[in-house]
Amino acid sequence: MISFINVDLEMNKKPVFQNLNLSIQPGELVYIVGKSGSGKSTLLKSLYMNIRPKKGEIRIAGYSSRTIKKRQIPHLRRKLGIVFQDFRLLEDRNVYDNLAFVLQVTGTKEKLIREKVMHALESVGLEGAAKLMPLDLSGGEQQRISIARALVREPLVILADEPTGHLDPDTSLEILEYLKRINLKGITVLIGTHDYELVRHSPFRTLQISGMNLVETTMEPSATGFRPAVAAQL
């Protein structure tokens, strides 16, 4: 389970969330929606302890923000898969080596690395791209490789921070389908996005940033795009 208990979060000494209480069950797929700069990235960064709460406690993957030691943070992050908006692939390494590097730094044996890398690539339909360089791929394919890289450690949780931010609408829906398939394997998936149209295509739990808190919401069409149809303070 992921828990935020009376959490205050700041970014650059500016309050972003105050007295946040939230629980996410294992195996859930959850959208965190809000406009650019509203705090989606801050929330996700706090889960891999890149940002620590000013007050309260965050619990994830058996760790607590109150008690975790600096040396333990890499161990926490090995239980998480992180997908960024800008892919962050190593352009001087081919696709296989981009994924293998994630395992090599933890001392995984070479035979097991190959098995895990190829399985991750198969999960995103790109097993034939192992020898290609990232810049040989389309934006959508690069993001699928980023998802495969997040999967290669067999994480408990996938954190996707604006994973479709640089993609066209059709490709965005394709990326969403891959994340949904991953979730069906029992992996918890959190997707931070400002794309309300994307959220409308999936009937999953949606949390909207409102001021310095989150509200449970469903989305319905409106003349100006989408608006919260139902909202409840968490």
Side-chain angles (χ1 to χ4, degrees):
M1 179 188 291
I2 297 171
S3 298
F4 292 80
I5 305 168
N6 300 322
V7 166
D8 286 2
L9 288 173
E10 292 184 354
M11 174 62 82
N12 299 324
K13 298 185 178 180
K14 178 183 176 182
V16 180
F17 292 98
Q18 289 188 336
N19 201 36
L20 178 60
N21 288 280
L22 170 65
S23 292
I24 296 171
Q25 300 298 319
E28 275 198 276
L29 189 155
V30 179
Y31 294 105
I32 310 292
V33 298
K35 63 183 181 180
S36 296
S38 61
K40 301 182 297 295
S41 293
T42 299
L43 192 74
L44 295 177
K45 286 178 180 178
S46 73
L47 288 172
Y48 55 91
M49 304 295 171
N50 195 43
I51 295 172
R52 304 289 279 274
K54 288 288 290 182
K55 188 193 80 171
E57 180 183 15
I58 299 171
R59 298 174 183 169
I60 181 169
Y63 291 92
S64 165
S65 62
R66 282 183 174 169
T67 59
I68 192 169
K69 303 289 193 298
K70 187 175 181 179
R71 68 177 185 275
Q72 294 176 310
I73 292 177
H75 298 281
L76 164 64
R77 292 177 181 174
R78 288 170 197 166
K79 297 184 177 184
L80 310 176
I82 304 170
V83 180
F84 299 99
Q85 177 178 347
D86 53 358
F87 317 142
R88 302 196 185 183
L89 299 174
L90 301 172
E91 295 179 0
D92 61 344
R93 304 185 187 204
N94 65 25
V95 166
Y96 180 93
D97 288 339
N98 264 273
L99 272 64
F101 176 74
V102 175
L103 299 171
Q104 288 165 347
V105 295
T106 60
T108 306
K109 293 183 179 179
E110 202 61 40
K111 181 180 178 181
L112 187 56
I113 287 176
R114 177 167 181 78
E115 291 175 3
K116 287 179 176 289
V117 167
M118 296 313 297
H119 179 70
L121 289 174
E122 288 169 10
S123 296
V124 298
L126 286 173
E127 59 270 28
K131 294 183 179 180
L132 297 178
M133 302 299 286
L135 295 182
D136 293 330
L137 304 172
S138 68
E141 289 170 333
Q142 289 186 63
Q143 191 58 293
R144 284 156 65 187
I145 296 301
S146 296
I147 293 171
R149 181 182 57 194
L151 275 176
V152 78
R153 284 182 178 158
E154 301 174 349
L156 299 175
V157 181
I158 293 284
L159 305 174
D161 189 0
E162 294 282 8
T164 64
H166 291 325
L167 305 176
D168 62 80
D170 288 342
T171 305
S172 295
L173 290 176
E174 184 180 76
I175 293 300
L176 176 58
E177 285 303 313
Y178 281 108
L179 291 170
K180 287 161 64 176
R181 291 179 199 175
I182 290 166
N183 175 247
L184 289 174
K185 297 177 181 179
I187 298 173
T188 305
V189 178
L190 273 64
I191 303 172
T193 183
H194 66 268
D195 189 346
Y196 289 88
E197 179 67 22
L198 186 72
V199 173
R200 188 177 68 85
H201 285 273
S202 296
F204 290 96
R205 185 182 181 192
T206 302
L207 306 175
Q208 185 175 31
I209 296 173
S210 176
M212 294 187 186
N213 215 310
L214 290 169
V215 293
E216 296 268 6
T217 185
T218 58
M219 309 311 294
E220 68 177 16
S222 76
T224 57
F226 293 86
R227 65 173 182 267
V230 179
Q233 192 81 14
L234 291 169

PDB file of all heavy atoms in Angstrom, residues 41-57:
ATOM      1  N   SER A  41       4.347  16.342 -10.440  1.00  0.00           N
ATOM      2  CA  SER A  41       5.723  15.830 -10.351  1.00  0.00           C
ATOM      3  C   SER A  41       6.221  15.831  -8.915  1.00  0.00           C
ATOM      4  O   SER A  41       6.912  14.903  -8.489  1.00  0.00           O
ATOM      5  CB  SER A  41       6.659  16.668 -11.230  1.00  0.00           C
ATOM      6  OG  SER A  41       6.344  16.503 -12.599  1.00  0.00           O
ATOM      7  N   THR A  42       5.866  16.867  -8.157  1.00  0.00           N
ATOM      8  CA  THR A  42       6.265  16.926  -6.749  1.00  0.00           C
ATOM      9  C   THR A  42       5.727  15.715  -5.994  1.00  0.00           C
ATOM     10  O   THR A  42       6.443  15.082  -5.216  1.00  0.00           O
ATOM     11  CB  THR A  42       5.736  18.215  -6.103  1.00  0.00           C
ATOM     12  OG1 THR A  42       6.308  19.342  -6.779  1.00  0.00           O
ATOM     13  CG2 THR A  42       6.097  18.286  -4.620  1.00  0.00           C
ATOM     14  N   LEU A  43       4.474  15.379  -6.238  1.00  0.00           N
ATOM     15  CA  LEU A  43       3.863  14.238  -5.569  1.00  0.00           C
ATOM     16  C   LEU A  43       4.593  12.944  -5.918  1.00  0.00           C
ATOM     17  O   LEU A  43       4.917  12.137  -5.038  1.00  0.00           O
ATOM     18  CB  LEU A  43       2.387  14.131  -5.968  1.00  0.00           C
ATOM     19  CG  LEU A  43       1.552  13.158  -5.144  1.00  0.00           C
ATOM     20  CD1 LEU A  43       1.260  13.733  -3.775  1.00  0.00           C
ATOM     21  CD2 LEU A  43       0.242  12.846  -5.868  1.00  0.00           C
ATOM     22  N   LEU A  44       4.880  12.742  -7.207  1.00  0.00           N
ATOM     23  CA  LEU A  44       5.544  11.513  -7.634  1.00  0.00           C
ATOM     24  C   LEU A  44       6.991  11.467  -7.130  1.00  0.00           C
ATOM     25  O   LEU A  44       7.474  10.413  -6.709  1.00  0.00           O
ATOM     26  CB  LEU A  44       5.498  11.387  -9.154  1.00  0.00           C
ATOM     27  CG  LEU A  44       4.086  11.223  -9.753  1.00  0.00           C
ATOM     28  CD1 LEU A  44       4.148  11.189 -11.274  1.00  0.00           C
ATOM     29  CD2 LEU A  44       3.402   9.967  -9.230  1.00  0.00           C
ATOM     30  N   LYS A  45       7.672  12.598  -7.151  1.00  0.00           N
ATOM     31  CA  LYS A  45       9.053  12.637  -6.644  1.00  0.00           C
ATOM     32  C   LYS A  45       9.114  12.278  -5.169  1.00  0.00           C
ATOM     33  O   LYS A  45      10.086  11.680  -4.700  1.00  0.00           O
ATOM     34  CB  LYS A  45       9.658  14.020  -6.866  1.00  0.00           C
ATOM     35  CG  LYS A  45      10.028  14.315  -8.312  1.00  0.00           C
ATOM     36  CD  LYS A  45      10.579  15.727  -8.457  1.00  0.00           C
ATOM     37  CE  LYS A  45      10.960  16.018  -9.903  1.00  0.00           C
ATOM     38  NZ  LYS A  45      11.463  17.412 -10.068  1.00  0.00           N
ATOM     39  N   SER A  46       8.069  12.653  -4.428  1.00  0.00           N
ATOM     40  CA  SER A  46       8.076  12.337  -3.001  1.00  0.00           C
ATOM     41  C   SER A  46       7.994  10.833  -2.765  1.00  0.00           C
ATOM     42  O   SER A  46       8.449  10.331  -1.732  1.00  0.00           O
ATOM     43  CB  SER A  46       6.917  13.042  -2.290  1.00  0.00           C
ATOM     44  OG  SER A  46       5.661  12.447  -2.585  1.00  0.00           O
ATOM     45  N   LEU A  47       7.447  10.099  -3.730  1.00  0.00           N
ATOM     46  CA  LEU A  47       7.315   8.650  -3.570  1.00  0.00           C
ATOM     47  C   LEU A  47       8.644   7.929  -3.758  1.00  0.00           C
ATOM     48  O   LEU A  47       8.844   6.855  -3.202  1.00  0.00           O
ATOM     49  CB  LEU A  47       6.261   8.105  -4.542  1.00  0.00           C
ATOM     50  CG  LEU A  47       4.822   8.477  -4.179  1.00  0.00           C
ATOM     51  CD1 LEU A  47       3.869   8.078  -5.295  1.00  0.00           C
ATOM     52  CD2 LEU A  47       4.405   7.811  -2.874  1.00  0.00           C
ATOM     53  N   TYR A  48       9.557   8.503  -4.545  1.00  0.00           N
ATOM     54  CA  TYR A  48      10.882   7.883  -4.615  1.00  0.00           C
ATOM     55  C   TYR A  48      11.911   8.685  -3.815  1.00  0.00           C
ATOM     56  O   TYR A  48      13.117   8.566  -3.993  1.00  0.00           O
ATOM     57  CB  TYR A  48      11.339   7.609  -6.051  1.00  0.00           C
ATOM     58  CG  TYR A  48      11.358   8.741  -7.046  1.00  0.00           C
ATOM     59  CD1 TYR A  48      12.500   9.510  -7.226  1.00  0.00           C
ATOM     60  CD2 TYR A  48      10.266   9.011  -7.866  1.00  0.00           C
ATOM     61  CE1 TYR A  48      12.551  10.528  -8.168  1.00  0.00           C
ATOM     62  CE2 TYR A  48      10.295  10.022  -8.818  1.00  0.00           C
ATOM     63  CZ  TYR A  48      11.434  10.775  -8.962  1.00  0.00           C
ATOM     64  OH  TYR A  48      11.477  11.785  -9.906  1.00  0.00           O
ATOM     65  N   MET A  49      11.387   9.471  -2.880  1.00  0.00           N
ATOM     66  CA  MET A  49      12.179  10.172  -1.867  1.00  0.00           C
ATOM     67  C   MET A  49      13.172  11.160  -2.469  1.00  0.00           C
ATOM     68  O   MET A  49      14.214  11.455  -1.873  1.00  0.00           O
ATOM     69  CB  MET A  49      12.911   9.180  -0.942  1.00  0.00           C
ATOM     70  CG  MET A  49      12.001   8.182  -0.260  1.00  0.00           C
ATOM     71  SD  MET A  49      10.844   8.941   0.893  1.00  0.00           S
ATOM     72  CE  MET A  49       9.767   7.535   1.292  1.00  0.00           C
ATOM     73  N   ASN A  50      12.842  11.690  -3.641  1.00  0.00           N
ATOM     74  CA  ASN A  50      13.632  12.788  -4.183  1.00  0.00           C
ATOM     75  C   ASN A  50      13.267  14.090  -3.473  1.00  0.00           C
ATOM     76  O   ASN A  50      14.069  15.025  -3.415  1.00  0.00           O
ATOM     77  CB  ASN A  50      13.391  12.922  -5.682  1.00  0.00           C
ATOM     78  CG  ASN A  50      14.422  13.790  -6.357  1.00  0.00           C
ATOM     79  OD1 ASN A  50      15.611  13.701  -6.081  1.00  0.00           O
ATOM     80  ND2 ASN A  50      13.965  14.652  -7.251  1.00  0.00           N
ATOM     81  N   ILE A  51      12.039  14.131  -2.945  1.00  0.00           N
ATOM     82  CA  ILE A  51      11.556  15.221  -2.104  1.00  0.00           C
ATOM     83  C   ILE A  51      11.026  14.587  -0.825  1.00  0.00           C
ATOM     84  O   ILE A  51      10.295  13.600  -0.879  1.00  0.00           O
ATOM     85  CB  ILE A  51      10.432  16.009  -2.811  1.00  0.00           C
ATOM     86  CG1 ILE A  51      10.972  16.707  -4.059  1.00  0.00           C
ATOM     87  CG2 ILE A  51       9.789  17.018  -1.862  1.00  0.00           C
ATOM     88  CD1 ILE A  51       9.895  17.340  -4.904  1.00  0.00           C
ATOM     89  N   ARG A  52      11.395  15.137   0.310  1.00  0.00           N
ATOM     90  CA  ARG A  52      10.928  14.601   1.583  1.00  0.00           C
ATOM     91  C   ARG A  52       9.864  15.543   2.150  1.00  0.00           C
ATOM     92  O   ARG A  52       9.961  16.768   2.001  1.00  0.00           O
ATOM     93  CB  ARG A  52      12.094  14.472   2.570  1.00  0.00           C
ATOM     94  CG  ARG A  52      13.242  13.627   2.046  1.00  0.00           C
ATOM     95  CD  ARG A  52      12.921  12.149   1.972  1.00  0.00           C
ATOM     96  NE  ARG A  52      13.061  11.514   3.258  1.00  0.00           N
ATOM     97  CZ  ARG A  52      14.207  11.026   3.740  1.00  0.00           C
ATOM     98  NH1 ARG A  52      15.317  11.113   3.044  1.00  0.00           N
ATOM     99  NH2 ARG A  52      14.232  10.452   4.928  1.00  0.00           N
ATOM    100  N   PRO A  53       8.852  15.011   2.812  1.00  0.00           N
ATOM    101  CA  PRO A  53       7.796  15.862   3.355  1.00  0.00           C
ATOM    102  C   PRO A  53       8.290  16.766   4.471  1.00  0.00           C
ATOM    103  O   PRO A  53       9.151  16.383   5.264  1.00  0.00           O
ATOM    104  CB  PRO A  53       6.755  14.855   3.871  1.00  0.00           C
ATOM    105  CG  PRO A  53       7.489  13.579   4.044  1.00  0.00           C
ATOM    106  CD  PRO A  53       8.600  13.576   3.044  1.00  0.00           C
ATOM    107  N   LYS A  54       7.725  17.985   4.502  1.00  0.00           N
ATOM    108  CA  LYS A  54       8.017  18.896   5.603  1.00  0.00           C
ATOM    109  C   LYS A  54       7.342  18.417   6.881  1.00  0.00           C
ATOM    110  O   LYS A  54       7.815  18.679   7.981  1.00  0.00           O
ATOM    111  CB  LYS A  54       7.509  20.303   5.261  1.00  0.00           C
ATOM    112  CG  LYS A  54       8.321  21.018   4.207  1.00  0.00           C
ATOM    113  CD  LYS A  54       9.674  21.468   4.717  1.00  0.00           C
ATOM    114  CE  LYS A  54       9.524  22.605   5.722  1.00  0.00           C
ATOM    115  NZ  LYS A  54      10.845  23.105   6.203  1.00  0.00           N
ATOM    116  N   LYS A  55       6.199  17.738   6.705  1.00  0.00           N
ATOM    117  CA  LYS A  55       5.436  17.238   7.842  1.00  0.00           C
ATOM    118  C   LYS A  55       4.730  15.965   7.409  1.00  0.00           C
ATOM    119  O   LYS A  55       4.451  15.756   6.242  1.00  0.00           O
ATOM    120  CB  LYS A  55       4.403  18.285   8.288  1.00  0.00           C
ATOM    121  CG  LYS A  55       3.687  17.961   9.588  1.00  0.00           C
ATOM    122  CD  LYS A  55       2.476  18.862   9.801  1.00  0.00           C
ATOM    123  CE  LYS A  55       1.288  18.354   8.992  1.00  0.00           C
ATOM    124  NZ  LYS A  55       0.025  19.049   9.318  1.00  0.00           N
ATOM    125  N   GLY A  56       4.453  15.088   8.366  1.00  0.00           N
ATOM    126  CA  GLY A  56       3.712  13.879   8.066  1.00  0.00           C
ATOM    127  C   GLY A  56       4.613  12.739   7.611  1.00  0.00           C
ATOM    128  O   GLY A  56       5.838  12.784   7.755  1.00  0.00           O
ATOM    129  N   GLU A  57       3.996  11.715   7.014  1.00  0.00           N
ATOM    130  CA  GLU A  57       4.716  10.490   6.664  1.00  0.00           C
ATOM    131  C   GLU A  57       4.211   9.936   5.347  1.00  0.00           C
ATOM    132  O   GLU A  57       3.009   9.917   5.076  1.00  0.00           O
ATOM    133  CB  GLU A  57       4.518   9.444   7.769  1.00  0.00           C
ATOM    134  CG  GLU A  57       5.226   8.125   7.520  1.00  0.00           C
ATOM    135  CD  GLU A  57       4.931   7.098   8.598  1.00  0.00           C
ATOM    136  OE1 GLU A  57       3.961   7.302   9.371  1.00  0.00           O
ATOM    137  OE2 GLU A  57       5.650   6.094   8.661  1.00  0.00           O
TER     138      GLU A  57
END
